[in-house]
Every structure is written in structure tokens, then in C-alpha cells.
Amino acid sequence: RSLEAKGIHSLYSHQLAVWNALQAGEHAAVVTPTASGKTLCYNLPVLNELLQNEASRALYLFPTKALSQDQQSELNELLDNAKQKLPVKVVTYDGDTPDSLRLSARDSGRIIISNPDMLHAGILPNHPKWIRFFSSLKYIVIDETHAYKGVFGSHVANVIRRLQRIASFYGANPQFILCSATIANPKELAEALIRKPVRLIDENGAPQGNKTVVLYNPP
């Protein structure tokens, strides 16, 4: 009902492909153009899992605070559009999160939206305080994967490795959903980041308008 209120009545083929990969227990990397519906590729399976299992948790990682805020707004709109507000608490956890909200985020946040720096400096060193979250972690979303290259990408890959070790220590084996703009080697980059095989979904199923290419030689 919430999706229909937004005018969404069916999925694009790449959204369905991500859904099928995750239901099969795989990790997925989706690479399609801007405005092709990548957000729904992860929001749909994450919300489905969280609504079916009250204990489940998810972690969303974005490289910038602006993207985190956009995602928080998108999720809130989706949750509020339902006939009855969906019982999923979404919390942005970064350097600007006041101390008064951090405790409730750890204890009752179902979807934590953060960034690699905050994960490295603020969450993983305090993992004993996050036992409830890590022990029930089902999905990890890494958006804008193409940003994690070079020295910065190597650092993030090590942070993700540390995240995987801590999740495993608390008995969780989360699935990864990675999203990227079009790049030459998305599967190679995704597998280097998480050190696991991923299913690459790179055939865009979103409709596109006609394009006219004009070559003009001015006088």
C-alpha cells in the first residue's frame, strides 16, 4: 500500500533480480544509471525482513551526510505512507547525533544509517554496547560503492572486514547489498570490498525516454 501510494505498482527487472539474489542467500551488487530505482533494490528486501522478524536489524552506509539525510527522508516517507505506520525505527547515527539519541539508536534502532568513518571511530570500538544490533544484523547496504577506491577504498575495505568479524563474533552473518554508478569493474570492486562473491546485476530495467543526437556544425 505504501509503494502504491507512491505510484509504484510493479518492479523493474533489475529490482526483481536483486530480490531473487538475496532470497537465494547471495550478496548482490547493482549497477544501473541514476534515477533507475536502486534505492528500492535494498529498501524492499530490508523492510520485508524487518517486518517479518521483529529482532532483525540493518546497517546502511553512505559516503556523505547529505546522502544519509536523503535516505532517512526516503525511508520515513515510505514508512509513513502506509495505511498504518510501519513499526520500523530508522536512525541516522553520525557525528551530529546528540548523545541523548545515541543510546536509543543502539537499543531500538532497526535501520542504522551511518558512514564508514563513524562506523570505524564510533560504532565498532564500542561493539559491546551494540550487542543487540550486531547479533541480529541481517543486511548491510553499501551505497555509492564507486567512491571507495584507492587508499580510501583500502581503508573502508579493512573497516568492513572488522565489521564482519564483529558481526560473526555475535553470531550474525549479514548479506551485503552494494550499489554503484556505472564503472568498468563493479563486480571486482564489490568483491574486493567485502571479500565475498557477489551477484552482479547491471542490466537496467527502468524505462528510458527517446534520445535524439544532433551534430551541428555552426556557421
Side-chain angles (χ1 to χ4, degrees), residues 194-212:
I194 70 171
R195 297 191 78 183
K196 293 177 182 292
V198 303
R199 168 91 70 89
L200 176 64
I201 292 101
D202 59 355
E203 292 188 13
N204 179 28
Q208 293 179 312
N210 291 329
K211 295 180 181 177
T212 302

Side-chain angles (χ1 to χ4, degrees), residues 8-140:
I8 300 173
H9 302 283
S10 61
L11 297 179
Y12 296 144
S13 57
H14 63 279
Q15 294 169 336
L16 180 61
V18 174
W19 172 274
N20 289 337
L22 295 172
Q23 299 310 305
E26 298 178 281
H27 307 284
V30 56
V31 182
T32 56
T34 302
S36 58
K38 284 195 288 288
T39 300
L40 195 59
C41 287
Y42 51 82
N43 278 344
L44 188 63
V46 166
L47 289 175
N48 182 68
E49 167 64 30
L50 268 56
L51 290 171
Q52 289 189 0
N53 187 340
E54 195 173 313
S56 294
R57 302 289 193 269
L59 174 65
Y60 285 20
L61 296 176
F62 297 91
T64 66
K65 290 183 179 181
L67 288 168
S68 297
Q69 294 297 328
D70 288 347
Q71 186 55 232
Q72 171 105 41
S73 299
E74 175 82 17
L75 277 166
N76 288 340
E77 181 183 352
L78 194 60
L79 296 171
D80 292 342
N81 268 348
K83 191 172 182 180
Q84 180 180 358
K85 181 174 170 65
L86 300 175
V88 176
K89 182 175 180 179
V90 182
V91 182
T92 297
Y93 195 94
D94 57 27
D96 293 332
T97 305
D99 292 340
S100 58
L101 295 180
R102 295 191 179 194
L103 179 59
S104 65
R106 292 196 298 262
D107 290 344
S108 57
R110 305 287 307 284
I111 297 177
I112 298 292
I113 300 174
S114 192
N115 56 70
D117 290 326
M118 190 64 181
L119 180 66
H120 172 60
I123 297 177
L124 297 182
N126 301 304
H127 62 85
K129 298 179 181 178
W130 290 78
I131 291 177
R132 178 180 294 183
F133 181 81
F134 281 123
S135 61
S136 301
L137 187 57
K138 297 296 183 183
Y139 284 114
I140 298 173

Side-chain angles (χ1 to χ4, degrees), residues 151-215:
V151 174
F152 178 51
S154 299
H155 167 67
V156 172
N158 280 314
V159 172
I160 292 170
R161 245 163 257 175
R162 187 175 170 205
L163 169 62
Q164 289 171 308
R165 286 198 303 270
I166 289 174
S168 178
F169 179 77
Y170 291 116
N173 184 27
Q175 286 176 267
F176 284 86
I177 311 168
L178 303 101
C179 299
S180 174
T182 303
I183 54 175
N185 59 339
K187 181 177 172 68
E188 180 186 357
L189 176 61
E191 292 180 343
L193 279 173
I194 70 171
R195 297 191 78 183
K196 293 177 182 292
V198 303
R199 168 91 70 89
L200 176 64
I201 292 101
D202 59 355
E203 292 188 13
N204 179 28
Q208 293 179 312
N210 291 329
K211 295 180 181 177
T212 302
V213 179
V214 179
L215 302 179

